[in-house]
């Protein structure tokens, strides 16, 4: 069964010109207009003064737009004639003559846009500092006052941030140890300094690679999740709802993450250090023919408590940076789905950058 | 009797074990505004989504424009979709582009009209919903009611033969709501459009309903004209019209 409008999509329309008369036939709809426009290119329009619509039995909004364009092109003299009552009413309904042009604000000039970006950078920096201070404050408060957050939320977050990341961190650290050992073994072997592979792996895994690798993985895994979760809550007004229930969004949403990551990060880094050393150990035993005892003794003797302390203390700073940056971008989200995507990307990029930058800074400080 | 444009036969929809729609058989007729009524959670939105194929039914048939409306039959499904406009409950505008671009999407994707003509149609449609002055704003810069109107402009961009509206007037002020109702009636008369509306607003029902379907717990309790509905003896329907009138 077909209804009238569907018939129109199958029917074709014609256009022809007789002296000053332009005659249109058939339905003028979204389906027939493209064809008509093509035919119109071969028609001379400058002599047309009247458009005859007596053959038009159906017209939709595209048809009306087309007619309006047509009478504009033929000059204002051309008028539409013999439209039946229905077509006449459609011409009024879909007329574009009353359309108001929207105002567009003028583009800012060069100095304005430079000024704007400087100003907004200053504001973001200030916002970031405010948020940092609030998170630190509420986290300190949250250690002793467990009532300000949902029961069990720190444990739940620890699972998400910590337990679920054990597999990937263990695997990557082991492979990293393996690669480091293999690369350095090839060089050290030439000098008969095989045993120093143990020193190299131990020091680099504990002081640098362990904390940094773990932080980068956590930034990608959990930093993105923080930003996505908080920004979604922002755009769906969940954060406003919390505020209106007299609940501080920071202490309810961010503090559990902050506390959980502070606990989990050193543990994950320790795991990473051990697995990295194990990776080197495998190479030492198989490729360099070292004995278990000599490799083990060398590792133990070179590592000091200071190395461990440097590695672990760094990792806690990395953890904090990841939470703060993730939350900062989350709270900054605007709009809808696209806003969430944008801030998630920015959060991951910014936190990985911050981790590496901070690591360089720490190296510098410890050297002095 | 007008032509039937949608035929539903023995439709069953369930989420898990919970049966939302129970053996619904129903016809929607051409050139009519049909209003689906019922209390919260009675399956109105699910019925709408089952008809347009967003929820796949557990059993039963839906035929639109005389052929089974099934995503598996791609050619009919896609060509039928071009003749259908849907206004979603929350608008569902794409947030990253302006509302003019939102309205232009179906025109750009499904017609071969040139750019100028598309622009003119977009502005006309936005004018019809009273938003031409806001054409270049993003959806996030609009109020809830404006967003809904912009979404209606997008739904009617292709002058569809069949328009589905999920709560078009919820959250609108009475004046805007009345203007939208007038617009829907104009479209019905002008383009022979058939309209299926889910709504609670009694004022709106009085203005536009040619036919009323009353759902309760997944079953059709009543179907008929507005005058029949008002004099209907079924207690739920009676209560609905009595409580809501003022």
């Amino acid at each position: 069964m077909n209804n009238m409008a569907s018939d129109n999509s199958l029917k074709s329309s014609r256009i022809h010109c007789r002296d000053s008369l332009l005659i249109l036939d058939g339905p003028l709809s979204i389906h027939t207009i493209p064809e008509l426009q093509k035919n119109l290119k071969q028609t001379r329009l400058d002599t047309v003064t009247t458009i005859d619509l007596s053959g038009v039995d159906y017209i939709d909004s595209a048809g009306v737009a087309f007619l309006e364009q047509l009478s504009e092109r033929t000059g204002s003299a051309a008028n539409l004639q013999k439209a039946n009552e229905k077509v006449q009413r459609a011409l009024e309904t879909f007329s574009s003559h009353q359309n108001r042009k929207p105002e567009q604000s003028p583009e800012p000039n060069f100095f304005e846009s430079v000024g704007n970006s400087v100003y907004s950078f200053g504001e973001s920096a200030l916002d970031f500092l405010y948020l940092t201070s609030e998170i630190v404050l509420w986290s300190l408060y949250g250690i002793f006052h467990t009532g300000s957050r949902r029961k069990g939320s720190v444990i739940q977050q620890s699972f998400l941030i910590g337990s679920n990341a054990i597999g990937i961190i263990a695997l990557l650290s082991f492979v990293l140890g393996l690669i480091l050992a293999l690369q350095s073994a090839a060089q050290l072997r030439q000098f008969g300094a095989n045993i120093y592979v143990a020193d190299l792996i131990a020091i680099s895994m504990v002081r640098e690679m362990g904390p940094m690798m773990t932080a980068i993985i956590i930034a990608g895994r959990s930093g993105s999740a923080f930003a996505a979760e908080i920004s979604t809550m922002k755009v769906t007004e969940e954060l406003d709802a919390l505020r209106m229930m007299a609940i501080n969004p920071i202490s309810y949403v961010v503090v559990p993450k902050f506390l959980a990551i502070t606990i989990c990060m050193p543990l994950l880094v320790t795991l990473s250090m051990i697995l990295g050393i194990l990776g080197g150990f495998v190479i030492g035993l198989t490729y360099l023919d070292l004995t278990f005892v000599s490799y083990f003794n060398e590792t133990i003797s070179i590592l000091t408590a200071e190395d461990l302390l440097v590695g672990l203390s760094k990792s806690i700073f990395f953890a904090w940076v990841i939470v703060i940056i993730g939350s900062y971008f989350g709270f900054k989200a605007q709009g809808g789905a696209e806003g969430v995507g944008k801030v998630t990307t920015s959060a991951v990029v910014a936190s990985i950058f911050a981790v590496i930058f901070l690591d360089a800074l720490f190296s510098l400080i410890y050297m002095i | 009797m007008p032509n039937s444009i949608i035929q539903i036969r023995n439709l069953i929809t369930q989420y898990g074990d919970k049966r939302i729609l129970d053996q619904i058989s129903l016809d929607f007729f051409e050139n009519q505004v049909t209003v689906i009524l019922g209390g919260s959670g009675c399956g109105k939105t699910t019925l709408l989504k089952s008809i347009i194929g967003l929820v796949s039914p557990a059993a039963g048939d839906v035929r639109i424009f005389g052929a089974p409306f099934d995503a598996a039959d791609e050619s009919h499904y896609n060509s039928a979709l071009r003749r259908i406009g849907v206004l979603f409950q929350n608008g569902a505008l794409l947030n990253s582009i302006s509302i003019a671009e939102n309205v232009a999407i179906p025109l750009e994707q499904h017609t071969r009209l040139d750019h100028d003509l598309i622009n003119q149609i977009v502005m006309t449609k936005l004018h019809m919903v009273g938003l031409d002055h806001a054409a270049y704003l993003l959806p996030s810069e609009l109020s809830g009611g404006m967003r809904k109107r912009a979404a209606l402009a997008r739904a009617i961009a292709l002058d569809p033969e069949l328009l589905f509206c999920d709560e078009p007037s919820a959250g609108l002020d009475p004046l805007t709501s009345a203007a939208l109702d007038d617009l829907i009636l104009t479209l019905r008369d002008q383009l022979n459009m058939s309209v299926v509306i889910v709504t609670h607003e009694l004022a709106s029902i009085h203005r536009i309903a040619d036919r009323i379907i009353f759902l309760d717990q997944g079953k059709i309790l009543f179907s008929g004209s507005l005058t029949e509905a008002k004099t209907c003896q079924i207690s739920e329907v009676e209560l609905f019209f009595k409580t809501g009138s003022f």
Side-chain angles (χ1 to χ4, degrees):
Chain A
M1 161 199 38
N2 276 314
N3 53 37
M4 189 186 141
S6 65
D7 283 343
N8 285 324
S9 65
L10 303 173
K11 270 197 238 167
S12 66
S13 308
R14 281 189 314 276
I15 191 164
H16 49 106
C17 204
R18 206 183 302 142
D19 301 332
S20 64
L21 195 64
L22 188 73
I23 302 167
L24 286 166
D25 252 338
L28 289 183
S29 77
I30 222 157
H31 309 283
T32 59
I33 302 277
E35 195 63 30
L36 280 180
Q37 277 187 317
K38 223 184 282 167
N39 295 342
L40 200 61
K41 286 203 180 104
Q42 294 136 20
T43 318
R44 281 180 57 108
L45 290 174
D46 39 6
T47 56
V48 171
T49 56
T50 310
I51 299 172
D52 183 345
L53 296 177
S54 55
V56 176
D57 47 8
Y58 174 85
I59 189 165
D60 65 8
S61 59
V64 175
F66 171 72
L67 279 183
E68 283 181 353
Q69 242 182 31
L70 199 60
S71 48
E72 216 167 90
R73 275 178 57 194
T74 53
S76 54
N79 46 32
L80 307 168
Q81 276 190 358
K82 294 191 195 157
N84 70 31
E85 197 195 339
K86 191 149 192 184
V87 172
Q88 193 58 49
R89 263 191 293 134
L91 282 173
E92 285 157 24
T93 311
F94 298 124
S95 155
S96 69
H97 295 313
Q98 297 147 18
N99 290 1
R100 283 170 289 172
K101 276 271 162 274
E103 291 167 27
Q104 266 181 312
S105 49
E107 291 278 315
N109 67 29
F110 176 72
F111 294 104
E112 279 173 325
S113 49
V114 169
N116 273 341
S117 39
V118 170
Y119 193 73
S120 68
F121 178 78
E123 279 205 330
S124 330
L126 207 63
D127 282 347
F128 186 78
L129 290 179
Y130 273 130
L131 184 74
T132 309
S133 63
E134 255 192 283
I135 290 176
V136 172
L137 183 75
W138 284 108
S139 299
L140 284 175
Y141 179 83
I143 296 174
F144 306 105
H145 299 79
T146 51
S148 62
R149 56 175 178 267
R150 216 172 58 246
K151 231 180 174 178
S153 55
V154 175
I155 293 173
Q156 185 211 3
Q157 287 296 328
S158 305
F159 266 109
L160 289 176
I161 300 165
S163 313
N164 294 352
I166 286 178
I168 184 73
I169 285 176
L171 180 71
L172 286 184
S173 304
F174 182 77
V175 173
L176 188 71
L178 222 64
I179 296 168
L180 275 180
L182 213 53
Q183 289 298 326
S184 48
Q187 304 303 321
L188 290 174
R189 214 178 184 177
Q190 299 174 20
F191 306 99
N194 288 357
I195 190 66
Y196 288 108
V197 168
D199 299 29
L200 198 142
I201 296 293
I203 294 290
S204 63
M205 279 315 292
V206 171
R207 286 188 75 118
E208 288 294 333
M209 298 314 277
M212 196 161 83
M213 274 301 289
T214 312
I216 288 175
I217 294 169
I218 293 296
R221 241 188 121 262
S222 303
S224 58
F226 299 157
E229 182 188 333
I230 295 173
S231 57
T232 309
M233 291 180 81
K234 167 100 187 278
V235 300
T236 53
E237 297 181 320
E238 285 174 49
L239 292 180
D240 296 341
L242 283 177
R243 239 174 239 131
M244 287 303 105
M245 289 186 273
I247 295 167
N248 184 321
I250 289 178
S251 70
Y252 194 81
V253 180
V254 184
V255 167
K257 300 184 195 320
F258 190 88
L259 296 179
I261 206 171
T262 312
I263 301 164
C264 291
M265 199 67 163
L267 297 176
L268 288 173
V269 168
T270 312
L271 178 81
S272 163
M273 292 169 179
I274 294 171
L275 265 295
I277 290 172
L278 203 69
F281 188 68
V282 168
I283 294 298
L285 242 54
T286 55
Y287 181 62
L288 295 172
D289 302 324
L290 295 169
T291 64
F292 175 84
V293 177
S294 61
Y295 194 101
F296 185 76
N297 285 342
E298 188 64 28
T299 303
I300 293 291
S301 68
I302 192 70
L303 282 179
T304 60
E306 193 205 323
D307 294 330
L308 204 63
L309 214 62
V310 167
L312 292 180
S313 63
K314 260 204 303 207
S315 75
I316 291 179
F317 278 102
F318 292 161
W320 291 347
V321 163
I322 292 168
V323 178
I324 292 170
I325 290 180
S327 316
Y328 169 72
F329 279 103
F331 283 118
K332 228 174 76 158
Q334 269 175 348
E338 202 205 9
V340 173
K342 262 189 202 159
V343 295
T344 309
T345 313
S346 310
V348 173
V349 172
S351 49
I352 290 178
F353 172 79
V355 162
I356 293 175
F357 185 77
L358 212 61
D359 193 50
L361 212 65
F362 273 116
S363 298
L364 217 64
I365 292 171
Y366 290 132
M367 260 175 61
I368 299 168
Chain B
M1 197 71 170
N3 283 333
S4 149
I5 198 165
I6 305 173
Q7 297 106 36
I8 303 170
R9 294 291 173 268
N10 302 321
L11 183 76
I12 298 175
T13 302
Q14 43 193 32
Y15 296 132
D17 283 341
K18 193 162 184 271
R19 190 166 279 202
I20 310 292
L21 297 176
D22 195 6
Q23 296 276 357
I24 299 242
S25 292
L26 192 61
D27 276 87
F28 291 92
F29 299 106
E30 191 179 279
N31 211 355
Q32 275 194 351
V33 177
T34 310
V35 173
I36 302 175
L37 279 180
S40 296
C42 71
K44 299 185 299 290
T45 299
T46 307
L47 175 59
L48 200 69
K49 287 191 170 172
S50 302
I51 297 173
I52 54 183
L54 289 178
V55 171
S56 43
D61 285 328
V62 175
R63 295 168 76 85
I64 300 185
F65 305 128
F69 193 65
D70 183 1
D73 173 14
E74 230 171 76
S75 63
H76 175 254
Y77 186 73
N78 286 335
S79 70
L81 279 182
R82 280 169 215 187
R83 295 156 67 185
I84 293 174
V86 182
L87 168 60
F88 287 92
Q89 207 161 7
N90 294 316
L93 295 165
L94 301 190
N95 263 306
S96 50
I97 52 179
S98 73
I99 60 167
E101 287 169 299
N102 261 289
V103 179
I105 295 172
L107 291 161
E108 280 163 358
Q109 294 293 320
H110 296 312
T111 69
R112 289 174 294 134
L113 300 173
D114 65 36
H115 185 71
D116 288 344
L117 217 50
I118 287 181
N119 261 347
Q120 196 175 334
I121 297 171
V122 166
M123 290 310 292
T124 304
K125 293 287 154 70
L126 285 174
H127 175 72
M128 290 169 84
V129 298
L131 281 180
D132 42 354
H133 59 287
Y136 300 129
L137 296 181
L138 292 173
S140 54
E141 294 169 311
L142 302 182
S143 74
M146 287 165 94
R147 246 177 281 179
K148 194 155 269 183
R149 285 189 276 155
L152 179 63
R154 186 179 67 179
I156 60 171
L158 287 175
D159 294 328
E161 295 155 46
L162 185 52
L163 178 67
F164 293 95
C165 302
D166 198 354
E167 309 247 0
S169 41
L172 294 185
D173 66 277
L175 289 180
T176 316
S177 169
L180 279 198
D181 290 341
D182 284 343
L183 176 59
I184 286 172
L185 290 179
T186 310
L187 291 171
R188 179 195 65 185
D189 297 338
Q190 208 78 79
L191 301 170
N192 297 319
M193 198 182 273
S194 320
V195 188
V196 177
I197 297 182
V198 168
T199 186
H200 294 291
E201 308 276 320
L202 265 185
S204 173
I205 294 165
H206 279 136
R207 273 192 300 266
I208 57 174
D210 293 320
R211 182 154 161 263
I212 286 174
I213 312 277
F214 198 99
L215 277 186
D216 187 50
Q217 299 185 357
K219 287 184 189 301
I220 298 170
L221 216 54
F222 168 84
S223 128
S225 72
L226 181 64
T227 25
E228 283 166 1
K230 278 166 141 176
T231 54
C232 167
Q233 298 295 315
I234 304 167
S235 60
E236 284 89 347
V237 183
E238 216 174 2
L239 200 65
F240 188 93
F241 280 95
K242 207 185 283 167
T243 320
S245 57
F246 42 86

